[in-house]
Amino acid sequence: MKTTATLLLAALISSAAIAQTPLLPGAPDRRQVYQDQDGNIIAMDKSGTKVFATWAEFHQSQFFLDHGMRCGSHDRSVSPGGWNNPPPSDCSNTQTNALSGYDPGGGDTFNIPVVVHILHRNNGVGNISDARVYSQIEVLNEDFNAIGGSPGAPGTNGKIEFHLATTDPNGNATKGINRYASNAWHNDKGSYYNQIGWDTTRYLNIYVNSAGGNLGYAYLPSGGGVVGTNYDGVRIFYQAFGRNSGYAPYDQGRTATHEVGHYFGLYHTFQGGCHSGSCSSNGDLICDTNSESSPFYGCGTRTTCGSPDPTTNYMDYSEDLCMYQFTPIQVNRMRCTILNFRPDLVAGGGGGTNPPDAATGPSPVHGATGISTTPSLSWQAAGGADTYDVYFGTSSSLSASDLVGSQSQTSYSPGLLSKASTYFWRVDSVGPGGTTTGSTWSFTTDAGSGGSNDLLSDGFESGTLSTGWSTTGNIQVHGNAANTGSYGVRMRRSSSLEHAIDASGKTNIVLSYARATSGYDGGEFLTVDWFDGSSWTVLETTNATGYATRSFSLGAAADGNPNLRIRFSGNANRNNELGLLDDVVVSGD
């Protein structure tokens, strides 16, 4: 048997991999990490006790590094249970034989029933919302199926789909989400899996708690003694579960993608470091992932073993926004693992496919005013949806004649609209489980805005900052950080982005933009202000998460003014705290 504890939040610590035997059921407990009743993180080992104010502080501590808690895994030869039959050599714990019969092309789609157990503290800490759970199922489907228009689109379609279970082990109807209040269980203590776990051969059990101080861990089946045991499954740190969880840079649900990859038999891309042996029986056992010497943190490229490291792979440790693929042979191994080690998962347990979730998070927000006459409409992707039917019109009673198309993207541009007019739109989610009708949203265009009168319009789609922007600090135009299109701006730590505007001959000046923050603590804000030639005026100060479109009239002081400046700035103090910006438009008459 092999277990893998995946720990991604040590981005500020040295990147050398440190193996650490995880604490298996019944194993001697050489350390303890837990949250006390006051919210402090208590970390104890033989040298003493240390106290941390937050989980984020603990995940960046020397204790975290010293105990190798970023990744704890047994050597492949270790097995506490033993395997009654020799494991299939095609995807054993020592070899991958990538037979064409395991490829997804022409093969069945494996539909995996999931039950999510939320183990929160008695005071409610960790009791995440159903919406977060739905978003996590959505992310898994995007990443394992390379859904077009999603962050996982560049990957490989594995034809492995996930749905929340609709029937429990006794055949009763369920929504696949259970909640339990227990300080001990939240701290990953006690054999909770014996009491609340569902049949591990028929359901993927995901437990959301503190994960014992880890970001997450999972049990691999291909070493023997795991499948059928009560403790089989996946554990995820609650702040890293789901999309836009606020725990940047690990807030987009990729921890669960990584751990479910382990659950289906994948090793880390840096397993075994640099090696010269057969790629199918050394390292991560995958021949289309280059070997790398150690985990990679952050974003970008690196070479450690004479070839580019697979830093965009879900099985490395890159930031969530910068990992986007499983390789074809990784998919082949996962499908082999399901067929040979976890066949009952796809044998009818857990009921059929859920209807898709309703689309949420409209941008512009419902009822917004002062919107540009050339807007880009967007929404949060809905769990279980493959496509979206978009309706747009001037009546609140949208009908079939207002259907403007079916698409997989989560944005729509209606073109040039009339000034001072109210428009209505609706997004229906369409998936294997049916169609879910969305809410009807509305917005009103500004009386003085118009695409032909834009003084500045920048969606950053060139992938770089255009001429006219000035910056301080760490500013990046980054893929997968966009509100619409392919690019948006990321502002790390304390940084700012500023642009001069010549409004000579123009009146009714309006500034609109989309903004969000990720990981900001108390006292940290994204501030938007403008300069009239003599003083700055603050338009908003926010630490709201999730993109929202905002529009402000700059007033009479901006009319005809050749010396305007607009500025976006953040005052965060850590690299994993981000301000996000997109779709900046300054318009006038």
Side-chain angles (χ1 to χ4, degrees):
M1 182 192 73
K2 173 178 175 178
T3 68
T4 297
T6 300
L7 311 160
L8 299 179
L9 277 180
L12 300 182
I13 304 174
S14 165
S15 62
I18 297 177
Q20 173 73 27
T21 301
L23 302 177
L24 298 175
D29 191 349
R30 296 185 179 88
R31 68 177 185 275
Q32 292 190 55
V33 179
Y34 64 92
Q35 187 174 34
D36 69 12
Q37 62 183 4
D38 297 320
N40 299 309
I41 310 305
I42 310 300
M44 299 187 296
D45 62 9
K46 62 183 180 181
S47 66
T49 299
K50 295 178 175 58
V51 180
F52 302 91
T54 65
W55 280 114
E57 181 180 327
F58 167 74
H59 284 133
Q60 297 169 10
S61 71
Q62 191 66 36
F63 185 102
F64 189 74
L65 174 63
D66 289 344
H67 285 282
M69 295 183 69
R70 279 176 292 162
C71 179
S73 63
H74 281 299
D75 182 84
R76 287 179 178 143
S77 64
V78 176
S79 174
W83 191 253
N84 293 329
N85 299 300
S89 60
D90 294 336
C91 46
S92 72
N93 58 352
T94 59
Q95 180 174 321
T96 297
N97 187 14
L99 300 178
S100 60
Y102 298 124
D103 287 339
D108 293 334
T109 295
F110 298 147
N111 207 297
I112 311 299
V114 181
V115 54
V116 176
H117 308 282
I118 300 170
L119 313 182
H120 59 84
R121 292 182 59 82
N122 293 333
N123 64 5
V125 170
N127 191 12
I128 64 173
S129 67
D130 284 359
R132 284 265 296 280
V133 177
Y134 298 148
S135 73
Q136 183 62 75
I137 299 299
E138 174 185 291
V139 170
L140 290 175
N141 281 313
E142 291 175 357
D143 293 349
F144 280 81
N145 297 282
I147 293 177
S150 77
T156 303
N157 182 359
K159 298 179 73 173
I160 302 172
E161 297 181 355
F162 302 85
H163 69 275
L164 288 169
T166 57
T167 57
D168 68 14
N170 297 317
N172 300 314
T174 179
K175 67 177 182 179
I177 303 173
N178 298 322
R179 300 174 186 277
Y180 303 92
S182 168
N183 291 346
W185 291 2
H186 178 75
N187 280 317
D188 208 32
K189 299 295 184 181
S191 55
Y192 52 81
Y193 41 82
N194 287 330
Q195 300 180 53
I196 64 174
W198 291 10
D199 183 348
T200 58
T201 65
R202 297 171 51 213
Y203 300 88
L204 165 54
N205 285 257
I206 298 179
Y207 299 92
V208 182
N209 59 6
S210 72
N214 306 324
L215 196 61
Y217 63 92
Y219 291 98
L220 281 82
S222 55
V226 173
V227 176
T229 61
N230 288 344
Y231 59 81
D232 190 14
V234 170
R235 278 75 172 167
I236 304 293
F237 178 58
Y238 69 97
Q239 293 194 57
F241 192 79
R243 195 195 306 273
N244 296 324
S245 68
Y247 208 57
Y250 306 106
D251 60 346
Q252 297 300 314
R254 262 48 191 280
T255 299
T257 299
H258 181 108
E259 299 304 341
V260 173
H262 286 314
Y263 176 83
F264 287 147
L266 297 184
Y267 296 103
H268 291 130
T269 53
F270 48 85
Q271 177 81 28
C274 301
H275 63 84
S276 58
S278 169
C279 56
S280 63
S281 57
N282 287 274
D284 66 350
L285 313 180
I286 302 295
C287 285
D288 57 1
T289 58
N290 294 334
S291 61
E292 60 179 333
S293 64
S294 60
F296 176 78
Y297 295 97
C299 292
T301 60
R302 183 185 67 167
T303 297
T304 60
C305 298
S307 56
D309 292 345
T311 58
T312 60
N313 197 280
Y314 295 128
M315 302 313 294
D316 206 339
Y317 281 179
S318 305
E319 295 180 6
D320 278 20
L321 287 171
C322 302
M323 47 170 59
Y324 54 74
Q325 66 174 328
F326 291 118
T327 67
I329 296 180
Q330 283 179 317
V331 165
N332 183 286
R333 179 177 171 85
M334 287 193 288
R335 290 177 64 86
C336 172
T337 298
I338 293 171
L339 287 170
N340 289 295
F341 291 96
R342 300 191 181 279
D344 291 340
L345 275 179
V346 293
T353 303
N354 305 83
D357 301 325
T360 59
S363 179
V365 297
H366 176 50
T369 60
I371 302 303
S372 167
T373 54
T374 56
S376 178
L377 313 181
S378 64
W379 57 94
Q380 295 291 329
D386 294 330
T387 60
Y388 303 94
D389 291 341
V390 181
Y391 294 79
F392 187 86
T394 55
S395 170
S396 60
S397 300
L398 295 169
S399 64
S401 62
D402 296 309
L403 177 65
V404 294
S406 179
Q407 60 182 63
S408 59
Q409 297 85 1
T410 56
S411 63
Y412 167 72
S413 297
L416 180 63
L417 305 178
S418 299
K419 300 178 182 179
S421 301
T422 299
Y423 293 88
F424 299 87
W425 58 300
R426 190 182 84 222
V427 178
D428 293 353
S429 309
V430 182
T435 298
T436 300
T437 301
S439 301
T440 297
W441 301 313
S442 69
F443 65 89
T444 301
T445 54
D446 187 80
S449 62
S452 61
N453 292 323
D454 287 346
L455 303 173
L456 169 67
S457 180
D458 199 341
F460 309 103
E461 291 307 292
S462 67
T464 60
L465 285 177
S466 59
T467 302
W469 288 106
S470 59
T471 66
T472 64
N474 190 336
I475 300 291
Q476 299 173 309
V477 177
H478 200 283
N480 294 332
N483 175 54
T484 60
S486 300
Y487 292 95
V489 169
R490 298 201 317 182
M491 298 184 288
R492 287 185 182 274
R493 299 175 69 92
S494 180
S495 55
S496 67
L497 186 67
E498 189 173 331
H499 202 293
I501 305 293
D502 182 357
S504 299
K506 300 291 185 179
T507 59
N508 299 319
I509 310 302
V510 174
L511 167 63
S512 66
Y513 53 89
R515 52 77 175 144
T517 69
S518 181
Y520 274 22
D521 301 321
E524 295 177 335
F525 299 98
L526 173 63
T527 298
V528 182
D529 53 3
W530 71 284
F531 183 69
D532 64 4
S534 60
S535 62
W536 290 91
T537 299
V538 174
L539 297 175
E540 71 162 336
T541 299
T542 181
N543 56 14
T545 59
Y547 260 119
T549 296
R550 302 284 285 162
S551 293
F552 293 93
S553 173
L554 302 189
D559 290 350
N561 192 327
N563 300 310
L564 302 182
R565 300 190 72 86
I566 58 171
R567 181 172 62 187
F568 305 87
S569 56
N571 66 341
N573 60 9
R574 293 176 178 170
N575 279 334
N576 62 352
E577 296 167 335
L578 305 174
L580 305 175
L581 177 68
D582 201 0
D583 302 328
V584 178
V585 177
V586 179
S587 60
D589 292 336

